[in-house]
Amino acid sequence: MEYVTKSGVDVPKVGVGTWQMETEVAYESVSMALEEGYRHVDTAQLYENERGVGRAIAESDVDRSELFLTTKVNPQNRSVDDIVESARKSVARLDVEQVDLLLIHWPHPLADLPTVIDGLDECVRQDLTRFIGVSNFGVDRLKRAQQLTDTGIFTNQVLFHPWWPQRELLSYCQQEDVILTGYSPLANGGAIDDELLADIGTAYGKSGPQVAIRWATQHENVMTIPMSTSRSHLADNIDIFDFKLTRAEHDQITRPSLLQTGMSMVRGQLGV
């Protein structure tokens, strides 16, 4: 495993995501992931699977202190009190004393950003989370969040894959020491049958999806959270640190495409 270090904490560059997983499926996926060596788990209130994730953690042989656990606040919680209460309920569902990282899931158009950030900061003050962050924020809104917080923005969790490389945002995060957490690194399955990724992987004895995840992790200050309900795929997704893409390969893989990104988003929404 490789790590991103921030605020004195080493966070595994690859975690397990649980989007679109029902409670029992999330329980099984996280249980297998922990057995396979994952120590970074991501969930959210809107996924409605926190109890399953928490049960997997409680029943595993992995000590809680070894895990980096993230959840996200439903953006419908727009007051300080609502954000704090929702975080308290998340901690209870996850059956932990606190989470490591608490994010606002995305910017709500009717939410007051200073209030939202104050709510997240209050969760730190009340020991419900160690760190806070945001998700699906562009550069301008991220800058504003940084100005508003008393405790600092640990990460911005956003879509990040070879067809959506987020160059402007990535550069800003690297300059500001904000971790970029990339979700959907396999472009909702788009990386599975990509010929270029497969061809590059052949030279290393790796699959196309493994190359896509390695592409993500080779960026400075980036971690990623691929999802899978298959033990073999979970194992493959962290078996990527025994090879390194060349600069030329990395540049080849980076292919910004609105079409590919749009198709992947449709696949994600349809669950296919």
Side-chain angles (χ1 to χ4, degrees), residues 42-236:
D42 182 275
T43 183
Q45 293 172 4
L46 282 169
Y47 301 168
E48 297 183 345
N49 61 21
E50 289 173 318
R51 292 188 189 281
V53 171
R55 183 155 55 93
I57 291 171
E59 294 180 6
S60 78
D61 293 330
V62 179
D63 190 88
R64 170 69 185 93
S65 64
E66 298 179 30
L67 294 178
F68 192 87
L69 176 61
T70 300
T71 195
K72 311 176 197 71
V73 173
N74 183 333
Q76 295 292 338
N77 295 292
R78 304 197 300 272
S79 72
V80 171
D81 287 346
D82 285 348
I83 289 169
V84 171
E85 182 59 23
S86 78
R88 197 178 305 283
K89 290 178 178 178
S90 282
V91 166
R93 285 190 293 267
L94 289 161
D95 193 23
V96 294
E97 292 186 2
Q98 64 175 184
V99 295
D100 296 289
L101 178 60
L102 183 69
L103 312 179
I104 188 68
H105 206 140
W106 63 70
H108 193 288
L110 300 179
D112 176 59
L113 187 57
T115 302
V116 169
I117 298 301
D118 190 26
L120 295 177
D121 280 342
E122 183 61 27
C123 291
V124 176
R125 290 189 283 267
Q126 295 196 24
D127 292 326
L128 296 170
T129 183
R130 298 168 67 195
F131 307 109
I132 67 164
V134 297
S135 186
N136 299 302
F137 274 38
V139 171
D140 289 345
R141 191 174 271 112
L142 176 57
K143 286 181 181 178
R144 181 68 174 139
Q146 289 176 283
Q147 293 165 354
L148 293 167
T149 179
D150 294 328
T151 59
I153 300 297
F154 194 88
T155 192
N156 185 14
Q157 186 179 124
V158 296
L159 181 68
F160 187 74
H161 55 65
W163 297 284
W164 197 251
Q166 298 270 21
R167 282 302 180 239
E168 180 186 6
L169 179 61
L170 174 62
S171 178
Y172 179 79
C173 287
Q174 290 170 336
Q175 292 170 15
E176 293 292 314
D177 191 29
V178 174
I179 296 173
L180 188 150
T181 303
Y183 65 77
S184 299
L186 303 182
N188 293 111
I192 293 175
D193 298 317
D194 184 73
E195 292 184 6
L196 175 62
L197 294 174
D199 288 345
I200 290 175
T202 297
Y204 298 102
K206 300 294 181 179
S207 68
Q210 287 175 304
V211 170
I213 296 171
R214 189 56 173 141
W215 171 89
T217 62
Q218 280 188 211
H219 289 88
E220 178 190 352
N221 232 36
V222 170
M223 54 192 188
T224 188
I225 46 171
M227 304 176 299
S228 182
T229 57
S230 158
R231 183 180 290 273
S232 62
H233 290 163
L234 285 165
D236 286 345

